[in-house]
Amino acid sequence: RKEVEQDPGPFNVPEGATVAFNCTYSNSASQSFFWYRQDCRKEPKLLMSVYSSGNEDGRFTAQLNRASQYISLLIRDSKLSDSATYLCVVDSGGSNYKLTFGKGTLLTVNP
Amino acid sequence: GAVVSQHPSRVICKSGTSVKIECRSLDFQATTMFWYRQFPKQSLMLMATSNEGSKATYEQGVEKDKFLINHASLTLSTLTVTSAHPEDSSFYICSARDQYGVGLSYNEQFFGPGTRLTVL
Protein backbone atom coordinates (compact mmCIF):
# COMPACT_ATOMS: atom_id res chain seq x y z
CA ARG A 1 0.00 0.00 0.00
CA LYS A 2 1.33 3.42 -0.93
CA GLU A 3 2.10 5.75 1.94
CA VAL A 4 -0.27 8.40 0.64
CA GLU A 5 -2.80 7.53 -2.00
CA GLN A 6 -5.12 9.91 -3.79
CA ASP A 7 -7.83 9.77 -6.42
CA PRO A 8 -5.94 9.50 -9.70
CA GLY A 9 -8.14 12.02 -11.51
CA PRO A 10 -8.10 14.13 -13.53
CA PHE A 11 -11.29 15.92 -12.60
CA ASN A 12 -12.99 18.22 -15.08
CA VAL A 13 -15.87 20.22 -13.64
CA PRO A 14 -17.89 23.27 -14.66
CA GLU A 15 -17.65 26.52 -12.74
CA GLY A 16 -19.82 26.46 -9.67
CA ALA A 17 -19.59 22.71 -9.19
CA THR A 18 -18.71 20.99 -5.94
CA VAL A 19 -15.75 18.66 -6.12
CA ALA A 20 -14.38 16.25 -3.55
CA PHE A 21 -10.88 14.83 -3.23
CA ASN A 22 -10.11 11.71 -1.26
CA CYS A 23 -6.87 10.55 0.28
CA THR A 24 -5.77 7.62 2.40
CA TYR A 25 -2.52 7.22 4.31
CA SER A 26 -0.80 4.15 5.67
CA ASN A 27 1.20 5.46 8.63
CA SER A 28 -0.97 5.34 11.74
CA ALA A 29 1.63 7.37 13.63
CA SER A 30 1.16 10.43 11.42
CA GLN A 31 0.08 13.51 13.29
CA SER A 32 -0.03 16.34 10.76
CA PHE A 33 -2.08 16.45 7.61
CA PHE A 34 -2.25 19.03 4.89
CA TRP A 35 -3.70 19.84 1.51
CA TYR A 36 -1.39 21.68 -0.85
CA ARG A 37 -2.12 22.97 -4.31
CA GLN A 38 0.43 23.02 -7.06
CA ASP A 39 0.07 25.01 -10.23
CA CYS A 40 1.77 23.82 -13.38
CA ARG A 41 5.56 24.08 -13.12
CA LYS A 42 5.37 25.84 -9.76
CA GLU A 43 6.13 24.89 -6.19
CA PRO A 44 3.41 23.47 -3.90
CA LYS A 45 1.58 26.00 -1.76
CA LEU A 46 -0.21 25.20 1.45
CA LEU A 47 -3.96 25.30 1.05
CA MET A 48 -4.93 24.21 4.52
CA SER A 49 -4.01 22.00 7.41
CA VAL A 50 -6.46 19.26 8.33
CA TYR A 51 -7.64 18.77 11.87
CA SER A 52 -9.50 15.91 13.49
CA SER A 53 -12.52 18.09 14.13
CA GLY A 54 -12.67 19.09 10.49
CA ASN A 55 -12.04 22.61 9.35
CA GLU A 56 -13.39 25.05 6.84
CA ASP A 57 -11.85 27.99 5.05
CA GLY A 58 -14.34 29.75 2.84
CA ARG A 59 -15.29 27.39 0.03
CA PHE A 60 -12.85 24.73 1.21
CA THR A 61 -13.63 22.08 3.80
CA ALA A 62 -11.16 19.48 4.99
CA GLN A 63 -11.92 16.43 7.08
CA LEU A 64 -9.84 13.78 8.77
CA ASN A 65 -10.85 10.32 9.93
CA ARG A 66 -7.99 8.88 11.93
CA ALA A 67 -9.67 5.52 12.43
CA SER A 68 -9.97 5.03 8.69
CA GLN A 69 -6.75 6.95 7.94
CA TYR A 70 -8.70 8.99 5.45
CA ILE A 71 -8.54 12.65 4.53
CA SER A 72 -10.85 14.62 2.30
CA LEU A 73 -11.08 18.04 0.71
CA LEU A 74 -14.30 19.55 -0.55
CA ILE A 75 -14.39 22.58 -2.81
CA ARG A 76 -17.74 24.29 -3.19
CA ASP A 77 -18.73 26.75 -5.91
CA SER A 78 -15.53 26.03 -7.82
CA LYS A 79 -13.83 28.87 -9.68
CA LEU A 80 -11.64 28.85 -12.75
CA SER A 81 -8.75 29.81 -10.48
CA ASP A 82 -9.17 26.58 -8.52
CA SER A 83 -7.69 24.69 -11.47
CA ALA A 84 -4.52 23.09 -10.14
CA THR A 85 -3.15 19.82 -8.81
CA TYR A 86 -4.21 19.09 -5.25
CA LEU A 87 -1.70 17.26 -3.11
CA CYS A 88 -2.50 15.31 0.02
CA VAL A 89 0.43 15.54 2.42
CA VAL A 90 1.08 13.62 5.62
CA ASP A 91 3.94 13.76 8.11
CA SER A 92 6.10 10.73 8.86
CA GLY A 93 5.02 10.52 12.47
CA GLY A 94 8.55 10.78 13.76
CA SER A 95 10.62 13.62 15.13
CA ASN A 96 12.32 14.32 11.82
CA TYR A 97 9.49 16.47 10.44
CA LYS A 98 9.46 14.67 7.11
CA LEU A 99 6.45 14.99 4.87
CA THR A 100 5.14 12.47 2.36
CA PHE A 101 3.27 13.74 -0.67
CA GLY A 102 0.55 12.01 -2.58
CA LYS A 103 0.78 11.95 -6.33
CA GLY A 104 -1.84 14.65 -6.61
CA THR A 105 -5.16 15.01 -8.36
CA LEU A 106 -5.46 17.41 -11.26
CA LEU A 107 -8.54 19.61 -11.24
CA THR A 108 -9.65 21.62 -14.24
CA VAL A 109 -12.57 23.97 -13.76
CA ASN A 110 -14.18 24.86 -17.06
CA PRO A 111 -16.16 28.02 -17.90
CA GLY B 1 6.76 36.11 6.51
CA ALA B 2 8.14 32.60 5.97
CA VAL B 3 9.60 33.20 2.53
CA VAL B 4 12.01 30.74 0.95
CA SER B 5 13.99 31.58 -2.16
CA GLN B 6 15.88 29.36 -4.56
CA HIS B 7 18.54 30.20 -7.06
CA PRO B 8 18.77 29.67 -9.94
CA SER B 9 15.19 29.20 -11.05
CA ARG B 10 16.27 27.45 -14.20
CA VAL B 11 19.53 25.96 -15.39
CA ILE B 12 20.57 24.19 -18.53
CA CYS B 13 23.93 22.45 -18.49
CA LYS B 14 25.98 19.92 -20.39
CA SER B 15 26.29 16.35 -19.27
CA GLY B 16 29.16 15.85 -16.84
CA THR B 17 29.07 19.31 -15.29
CA SER B 18 28.13 20.11 -11.71
CA VAL B 19 25.29 22.39 -10.76
CA LYS B 20 24.79 24.14 -7.44
CA ILE B 21 21.33 25.17 -6.23
CA GLU B 22 20.87 27.53 -3.30
CA CYS B 23 17.95 27.57 -0.91
CA ARG B 24 17.52 30.49 1.47
CA SER B 25 15.05 31.26 4.20
CA LEU B 26 14.64 35.01 3.95
CA ASP B 27 12.84 36.01 7.10
CA PHE B 28 13.21 33.14 9.51
CA GLN B 29 15.83 30.72 10.74
CA ALA B 30 15.63 27.19 9.44
CA THR B 31 17.49 24.51 11.35
CA THR B 32 16.01 21.96 8.99
CA MET B 33 15.68 22.18 5.23
CA PHE B 34 14.45 19.54 2.86
CA TRP B 35 15.34 18.80 -0.74
CA TYR B 36 12.79 17.29 -3.07
CA ARG B 37 12.80 16.23 -6.67
CA GLN B 38 9.77 16.08 -8.92
CA PHE B 39 9.66 14.40 -12.31
CA PRO B 40 6.88 15.25 -14.79
CA LYS B 41 3.45 14.08 -13.63
CA GLN B 42 4.96 12.60 -10.50
CA SER B 43 4.75 13.66 -6.90
CA LEU B 44 7.45 15.34 -4.90
CA MET B 45 9.97 12.83 -3.66
CA LEU B 46 12.08 13.68 -0.67
CA MET B 47 15.76 13.36 -1.44
CA ALA B 48 17.34 14.42 1.82
CA THR B 49 16.90 16.27 5.06
CA SER B 50 19.46 18.96 5.72
CA ASN B 51 20.25 20.00 9.27
CA GLU B 52 22.28 23.09 10.04
CA GLY B 53 25.79 22.23 11.12
CA SER B 54 25.54 18.50 10.54
CA LYS B 55 25.51 15.98 7.73
CA ALA B 56 22.42 15.58 5.64
CA THR B 57 20.25 12.51 5.95
CA TYR B 58 19.54 10.95 2.57
CA GLU B 59 16.51 8.93 1.59
CA GLN B 60 16.94 5.41 0.39
CA GLY B 61 18.14 5.27 -3.20
CA VAL B 62 19.56 8.79 -3.26
CA GLU B 63 23.32 8.86 -3.83
CA LYS B 64 24.93 11.12 -1.27
CA ASP B 65 28.12 11.45 -3.33
CA LYS B 66 26.16 12.63 -6.32
CA PHE B 67 23.86 15.03 -4.52
CA LEU B 68 26.02 17.01 -2.14
CA ILE B 69 24.18 18.98 0.49
CA ASN B 70 25.65 21.70 2.66
CA HIS B 71 23.72 23.54 5.36
CA ALA B 72 26.31 25.91 6.78
CA SER B 73 23.98 28.50 8.28
CA LEU B 74 20.47 28.81 9.60
CA THR B 75 19.33 30.51 6.41
CA LEU B 76 21.18 28.72 3.62
CA SER B 77 21.34 25.19 2.29
CA THR B 78 22.92 24.20 -1.01
CA LEU B 79 22.42 21.16 -3.21
CA THR B 80 25.14 20.33 -5.72
CA VAL B 81 24.35 17.86 -8.45
CA THR B 82 27.74 16.48 -9.38
CA SER B 83 28.52 15.14 -12.84
CA ALA B 84 24.97 15.72 -13.96
CA HIS B 85 23.44 13.46 -16.59
CA PRO B 86 20.23 13.77 -18.62
CA GLU B 87 18.39 11.49 -16.18
CA ASP B 88 19.03 14.09 -13.46
CA SER B 89 16.88 16.58 -15.35
CA SER B 90 14.05 17.39 -12.99
CA PHE B 91 12.38 20.04 -10.87
CA TYR B 92 14.30 20.44 -7.62
CA ILE B 93 12.44 22.07 -4.75
CA CYS B 94 13.65 22.94 -1.29
CA SER B 95 11.60 23.61 1.78
CA ALA B 96 12.41 24.96 5.19
CA ARG B 97 10.98 24.43 8.60
CA ASP B 98 10.89 27.32 11.00
CA GLN B 99 13.28 26.70 13.88
CA TYR B 100 10.53 27.12 16.39
CA GLY B 101 7.91 25.25 14.44
CA VAL B 102 5.87 28.37 13.98
CA GLY B 103 3.22 28.19 11.34
CA LEU B 104 -0.20 26.79 10.86
CA SER B 105 1.07 23.48 12.08
CA TYR B 106 4.13 22.34 13.93
CA ASN B 107 5.22 20.38 10.89
CA GLU B 108 4.53 23.05 8.30
CA GLN B 109 7.22 23.48 5.67
CA PHE B 110 7.68 26.54 3.50
CA PHE B 111 8.65 25.83 -0.07
CA GLY B 112 10.99 27.60 -2.40
CA PRO B 113 9.90 28.31 -5.99
CA GLY B 114 11.94 25.42 -7.35
CA THR B 115 14.81 25.02 -9.80
CA ARG B 116 14.24 23.41 -13.14
CA LEU B 117 17.35 21.54 -14.21
CA THR B 118 17.85 20.40 -17.76
CA VAL B 119 20.94 18.37 -18.56
CA LEU B 120 21.75 18.08 -22.25
Side-chain angles (χ1 to χ4, degrees), chain A residues 5-14 16-24 35 47 59-63 70-78 82 84 86-88 104-109:
Chain A
E5 198 152 2
Q6 295 185 238
D7 293 325
F11 291 177
N12 283 280
V13 303
T18 296
V19 60
F21 300 95
N22 301 306
C23 172
T24 57
W35 284 101
L47 181 63
R59 298 181 292 109
F60 299 85
T61 301
Q63 293 195 317
Y70 167 83
I71 306 163
S72 66
L73 174 68
L74 187 76
I75 304 177
R76 292 182 300 278
D77 188 24
S78 52
D82 294 333
Y86 288 82
L87 303 168
C88 177
T105 305
L106 176 63
L107 170 66
T108 301
V109 181

Side-chain angles (χ1 to χ4, degrees), chain B residues 8-96:
Chain B
S9 59
R10 186 182 180 94
V11 59
I12 301 173
C13 68
K14 292 182 179 179
S15 185
T17 59
S18 293
V19 175
K20 180 187 278 190
I21 303 170
E22 291 186 350
C23 177
R24 292 181 187 274
S25 58
L26 299 185
D27 50 4
F28 66 100
Q29 293 184 324
T31 47
T32 306
M33 289 184 172
F34 303 87
W35 287 97
Y36 296 85
R37 180 167 55 178
Q38 186 177 33
F39 292 106
K41 298 188 178 182
Q42 299 294 316
S43 188
L44 274 74
M45 295 300 295
L46 180 65
M47 299 175 67
T49 302
S50 169
N51 294 298
E52 186 264 338
S54 64
K55 291 184 179 180
T57 303
Y58 290 81
E59 294 300 299
Q60 191 172 13
V62 178
E63 300 174 58
K64 62 180 182 180
D65 295 329
K66 181 170 181 63
F67 299 99
L68 301 179
I69 292 173
N70 183 280
H71 192 159
S73 78
L74 285 173
T75 58
L76 173 64
S77 176
T78 60
L79 168 67
T80 301
V81 183
T82 61
S83 186
H85 289 95
E87 58 266 28
D88 297 323
S89 298
S90 187
F91 190 44
Y92 291 85
I93 309 174
C94 73
S95 72

Side-chain angles (χ1 to χ4, degrees), chain A residues 31-32 34 36 38 41-44 46 48-49 51 87 91 94 96-99 101-104, chain B residues 10 32 34 36 38 41-44 46 49 59 91 93 97 104-109 111-113 116:
Chain A
Q31 295 295 320
S32 300
F34 309 93
Y36 279 75
Q38 186 175 25
R41 302 174 76 84
K42 299 286 188 182
E43 77 278 21
L46 180 66
M48 57 198 303
S49 296
Y51 304 113
L87 303 168
D91 79 297
N96 53 20
Y97 314 115
K98 290 180 358 181
L99 298 178
F101 285 74
K103 196 173 178 180
Chain B
R10 186 182 180 94
T32 306
F34 303 87
Y36 296 85
Q38 186 177 33
K41 298 188 178 182
Q42 299 294 316
S43 188
L44 274 74
L46 180 65
T49 302
E59 294 300 299
F91 190 44
I93 309 174
R97 181 179 173 274
L104 292 180
S105 166
Y106 189 69
N107 278 330
E108 184 177 358
Q109 296 178 17
F111 285 83
R116 195 161 299 280

